[in-house]
Amino acid sequence: MSKLRITYLLLATLGALLPMSYLAPWIMENGLSIGGLITAWQQNAAATGLFWDLVISAIVLTIWVLADTLPRNNRLPLLAIPATFLIGVSCGLPLFLYLRTGPTD
């Protein structure tokens, strides 16, 4: 495996673990409340700005994954879409790059 692929895989792992280390305690305290999350994301202008930045980034990443993956008939990189929306862009983007580069890189 190339150093680049290893880097993508490490960043995807970090991009899953680090955000979840903050989200998991919040969920334990508040329950799995989508409304509660949205309220928390809108506590101030900085949080709201970051929320919209990530939403737009997730949508763009999804479009890119679909546009790049479907014509190639390589479905494995599609796993980046649920990773993006269930974990975050910090996991979905490096996961997509890892899966896209494939073992021949």
Side-chain angles (χ1 to χ4, degrees):
M1 187 178 329
S2 73
K3 290 180 183 178
L4 183 59
R5 287 195 80 221
I6 291 169
T7 301
Y8 289 148
L9 185 57
L10 289 174
L11 288 171
T13 302
L14 184 63
L17 295 176
L18 191 58
M20 285 302 171
S21 71
Y22 289 93
L23 186 59
W26 187 91
I27 291 172
M28 296 297 286
E29 183 178 321
N30 299 287
L32 190 55
S33 166
I34 300 299
L37 277 172
I38 292 171
T39 299
W41 292 332
Q42 296 176 347
Q43 286 296 312
N44 58 54
T48 302
L50 183 58
F51 167 78
W52 283 112
D53 178 67
L54 293 172
V55 167
I56 292 167
S57 296
I59 292 168
V60 171
L61 177 57
T62 299
I63 293 168
W64 180 26
V65 169
L66 291 171
D68 186 76
T69 302
L70 295 179
R72 296 174 189 265
N73 203 27
N74 178 10
R75 304 289 189 235
L76 191 58
L78 292 172
L79 291 173
I81 295 172
T84 298
F85 287 96
L86 296 174
I87 300 170
V89 175
S90 63
C91 177
L93 176 57
L95 178 62
F96 170 67
L97 295 172
Y98 170 77
L99 295 170
R100 186 187 186 281
T101 54
T104 59
D105 180 26

